[in-house]
Amino acid sequence: MSAQPEGPTTAAEVPPPASCPEILTQSDHARERPAQAVHGAAFLAAPQPMLLADRNGLIVGANTAALTLLRGEGSEPLVGLIAAELLDLASDPRTWDAYREVLRGRQARLGRTRRLKHAAGHSVWVRITVSPVPGADVVLLSLSDIDAHRDLQAQLRHLRMHDPVTRLPNRALFFERLACALEAGAYEGTGATGRVGLCYLDLDGFKAVNDTLGHHVGDRLLAAVAERLTHCAQLAHHATGTPLVARLGGDEFALLVEDSTGTEQLSDLAEAVLGALREPFDLSGQHLVVSASIGVVERQVAGTSTTGLMQAADTTLYWAKADGKARWTLFDPERNARRMTRQVLSAGLRPAVERGEFVLEYQPLVRLEDGGLRGVEALVRWRHPRFGLLTPNRFIGLAEEDGSIVQLGRWVLETACRQAREWQLAHPGVPPVFVSVNVAVRQVWDSDLVADVARILDETQLAPELLQLELTESAVMGSAGRPLQALRDLSDMGVRIAIDDFGTGYSNLAYLSRLPVSVLKLDGAFVRGFQDGAGAGSGAPEDPADAVIVEAMVQLAHRLGLTVTAECVETVEQADRLRRIGCDTGQGWLYSRPVAAERISVLLADR
């Protein structure tokens, strides 16, 4: 059984109190008694509450201020009481041990703050300082009434921790509560779940309210929203309490559910909030209708950090916005993993070009008439050190978003042109093949594409007619200004311009006659309608609509002086049908998958 700390000395164990001790040094016998009287009177009349205790902890002296503070005027004297019991100095072992060390003269000073019970029934906060009296066998206990100070501190803290517009807890108080909620053991007890939930929301279109109606209306709207959120939280009260509603700044609010019971509880709360905010707001005659987007996160406390929880909530709120606003969205680990992968790829794009992590593969473009190799399309691949070989659909969109497509596109263009020239020099006895390179519209806007192409053709000594640039239909259709002039300059240079994935975008066929385009590449969705075995013996495809559309586009293209390439040709039947309706070139797995440059060299050697 562990040893218990010594308790305070009882009155029975303390010898009778001596007469009032000497406090100051006495100079001589003649002046001893007057000095004691003066000092004693000063002690009793001092406005600072003070007690004297002997080395056993028994009170042997108390002034009027101490009696008034602790008991009230006209009450029983304090002399003879045990100081540790009166001042709550034995309630915790550390304080009790330190206090005894002062009584024994082994420690010079002790300071503690205590909430004491007054004889009148109320509580009083007191700062207690215990120190020995030099030259006397007693200790002085000096008391300070800090009630007013603590009240002021509480008021200042409330101002510091609450939002002045909505009167809700602010960001500082929210994170303080969240940190406490995530502390180990915070949910110990009967019925505790050890989980935490968060609804993180902002108002859709709040900036427009401030901009059009003024910040004074915006502030009234925020206050009204706060009232409705508080009402929702009160209705959602459960066994462990009411969710904390806080304003984190701007039009962002949070509802923290401590010891949550699961995602259903959080989704119900989010749905209630959306319903409450859908009702129109009447702000001094100004009627407003707003909505909110909410990110909902619910998880185990164990292993969850403040940063991790808030990042998940912020991400989920972004999803709710991206999914259409005026809705709540639950955190999805798989979706978040894809987002994190996307961020990793985006951050590594520019360094990857410099490190040489990109490679090109080439897919043959074959004449449908005789199956001869006509050209190749250069397709970029990223040999990522973590994710392996990545196809363009994994990173080209990211490159376009952050602008690294300019640097990457320039590398692809230069590498492809140099390779095409090498094939030409290595196989002088066969007609040279052209190389087709995809160009993003941002390359036209953010760089001097015409100058880049001219420089690269000059450096590689590749003839302009052996380079084809592919732009998507949506990028080409409606081109004006700089993009259109760039296309014309490239065409004048001798470079061929192709529209990729034709038929899926604007399909403004009349506009084709005004563009410097020489090739249409039909989207593979049309070719897939020419199913295996379809039309055997009759030439009729399985999907007549696709055949009619393809045939019409081929005829129109030819009348405009354009050639047509069909993508995604996978079967002999598809190739035969495309050839019969007049398509010029085919590309797809029927002929070859994208391959390394060495494989194209073999094909050229076999011609």
Side-chain angles (χ1 to χ4, degrees):
M1 190 170 184
S2 60
Q4 298 293 325
E6 297 181 23
T9 307
T10 62
E13 297 171 334
V14 178
S19 58
C20 185
E22 297 175 355
I23 299 177
L24 298 178
T25 305
Q26 302 169 1
S27 58
D28 51 53
H29 182 74
R31 297 172 57 193
E32 178 179 351
R33 199 169 292 278
Q36 283 183 343
V38 170
H39 297 152
F43 171 78
L44 292 174
Q48 175 75 32
M50 291 182 287
L51 303 172
L52 290 172
D54 62 19
R55 295 295 181 177
N56 292 314
L58 198 69
I59 296 175
V60 296
N63 67 1
T64 303
L67 183 64
T68 302
L69 174 66
L70 300 176
R71 287 290 187 265
E73 295 182 4
S75 59
E76 294 294 324
L78 302 177
V79 173
L81 300 180
I82 301 170
E85 291 182 352
L86 178 67
L87 303 179
D88 190 27
L89 296 177
S91 59
D92 66 270
R94 285 189 60 186
T95 298
W96 172 239
D97 291 342
Y99 173 62
R100 289 191 302 166
E101 291 298 292
V102 176
L103 292 179
R104 295 167 181 169
R106 299 174 184 172
Q107 183 171 319
R109 188 181 182 88
L110 171 67
R112 289 292 187 272
T113 298
R114 286 293 187 267
R115 185 182 184 184
L116 305 178
K117 190 74 171 179
H118 193 276
H122 64 275
S123 296
V124 58
W125 283 96
V126 176
R127 179 65 181 175
I128 305 167
T129 303
V130 185
S131 56
V133 176
D137 202 23
V138 294
V139 295
L140 177 66
L141 296 97
S142 179
L143 313 178
S144 299
D145 183 355
I146 60 172
D147 259 352
H149 176 68
R150 288 184 66 90
D151 287 344
L152 179 59
Q153 280 187 322
Q155 293 174 18
L156 293 175
R157 172 178 168 79
H158 187 275
L159 291 174
R160 190 174 69 253
M161 292 295 191
H162 287 76
D163 170 53
V165 174
T166 63
R167 299 185 180 180
L168 291 176
N170 62 12
R171 189 179 188 88
L173 182 52
F174 169 79
F175 278 102
E176 182 180 287
R177 281 282 299 272
L178 179 58
C180 291
L182 296 178
E183 285 182 359
Y187 294 105
E188 293 179 356
T190 304
T193 65
R195 303 185 69 84
V196 64
L198 178 64
C199 290
Y200 182 39
L201 68 101
D202 73 2
L203 303 180
D204 301 324
F206 177 73
K207 184 177 183 299
V209 175
N210 272 342
D211 292 345
T212 59
L213 302 178
H215 288 272
H216 63 290
V217 175
D219 286 349
R220 289 205 298 269
L221 175 59
L222 291 174
V225 167
E227 290 181 6
R228 294 191 185 182
L229 295 180
T230 301
H231 181 65
C232 289
Q234 292 169 348
L235 294 179
H237 176 87
H238 61 115
T240 58
T242 302
L244 172 73
V245 183
R247 182 190 177 197
L248 303 188
D251 61 329
E252 296 179 359
F253 296 85
L255 290 90
L256 176 65
V257 180
E258 301 178 54
D259 202 22
S260 62
T261 58
T263 56
E264 184 176 354
Q265 179 191 12
L266 270 295
S267 61
D268 288 346
L269 177 58
E271 193 64 47
V273 167
L274 288 181
L277 296 182
R278 286 192 193 104
E279 295 297 322
F281 289 86
D282 186 356
L283 306 176
S284 302
Q286 185 77 49
H287 293 276
L288 294 176
V289 178
V290 300
S291 62
S293 299
I294 308 176
V296 178
V297 184
E298 201 278 342
R299 57 179 55 173
Q300 285 279 357
V301 167
T304 297
S305 66
T306 299
T307 301
L309 186 67
M310 292 308 299
Q311 285 178 342
D314 185 67
T315 297
T316 313
L317 174 58
Y318 171 80
W319 292 343
K321 292 283 190 184
D323 291 344
K325 302 182 180 179
R327 68 191 63 215
W328 62 268
T329 300
L330 184 66
F331 180 76
D332 181 355
E334 292 185 5
R335 185 174 180 179
N336 188 59
R338 292 193 297 270
R339 181 186 68 90
M340 296 298 293
T341 300
R342 181 180 174 89
Q343 290 180 343
V344 171
L345 294 179
S346 181
L349 271 168
R350 294 181 187 274
V353 178
E354 299 170 0
R355 290 194 297 262
E357 294 178 3
F358 291 95
V359 296
L360 292 185
E361 292 183 345
Y362 302 89
Q363 188 170 31
L365 298 166
V366 176
R367 284 191 301 270
L368 289 174
E369 183 179 357
D370 58 11
L373 181 62
R374 180 72 182 86
V376 295
E377 180 180 355
L379 299 168
V380 64
R381 305 286 190 257
W382 185 359
R383 293 192 182 279
H384 196 280
R386 177 178 173 185
F387 301 115
L389 189 66
L390 303 179
T391 53
N393 64 308
R394 295 289 302 276
F395 58 85
I396 289 297
L398 298 176
E400 291 177 342
E401 289 178 8
D402 68 7
S404 59
I405 190 65
V406 174
Q407 181 185 11
L408 176 59
R410 190 178 292 124
W411 177 87
V412 171
L413 183 63
E414 185 172 350
T415 304
C417 288
R418 182 171 290 107
Q419 182 61 67
R421 179 59 174 163
E422 290 178 6
W423 286 325
Q424 185 180 12
L425 295 175
H427 305 280
V430 298
V433 295
F434 70 85
V435 63
S436 189
V437 178
N438 291 278
V439 175
V441 69
R442 188 162 182 177
Q443 290 177 255
V444 183
W445 281 108
D446 294 358
S447 68
D448 192 341
L449 180 62
V450 177
D452 287 342
V453 170
R455 176 186 58 80
I456 290 171
L457 291 177
D458 181 63
E459 291 177 355
T460 61
Q461 293 299 296
L462 183 69
E465 60 269 18
L466 295 181
L467 174 62
Q468 177 175 289
L469 299 181
E470 297 186 19
L471 290 89
T472 61
E473 179 183 348
S474 57
V476 174
M477 292 301 183
S479 293
R482 182 175 179 180
L484 179 58
Q485 186 59 49
L487 295 181
R488 286 173 176 165
D489 291 344
L490 290 167
S491 180
D492 292 342
M493 192 186 300
V495 175
R496 302 201 306 171
I497 307 297
I499 300 179
D500 196 15
D501 300 328
F502 186 78
T504 61
Y506 295 99
S507 299
N508 188 348
L509 302 178
Y511 194 63
L512 284 174
S513 62
R514 299 193 294 272
L515 289 173
V517 174
S518 54
V519 180
L520 296 185
K521 295 189 72 176
L522 297 182
D523 186 78
F526 295 108
V527 179
R528 293 189 188 98
F530 294 45
Q531 299 296 331
D532 290 352
S538 64
E542 183 177 288
D543 189 342
D546 282 339
V548 172
I549 293 172
V550 171
E551 188 168 1
M553 287 192 291
V554 170
Q555 291 176 0
L556 177 61
H558 286 169
R559 289 178 181 176
L560 293 173
L562 310 178
T563 61
V564 181
T565 297
E567 299 180 299
C568 300
V569 181
E570 299 179 355
T571 68
V572 174
E573 289 78 7
Q574 290 172 338
D576 289 342
R577 181 60 179 162
L578 289 166
R579 183 178 63 256
R580 284 195 293 269
I581 64 177
C583 195
D584 302 288
T585 309
Q587 175 183 2
W589 288 3
L590 174 63
Y591 308 109
S592 174
R593 295 181 180 232
V595 295
E598 294 76 16
R599 179 57 184 164
I600 300 299
S601 295
V602 173
L603 295 177
L604 289 171
D606 292 341
R607 292 175 66 181

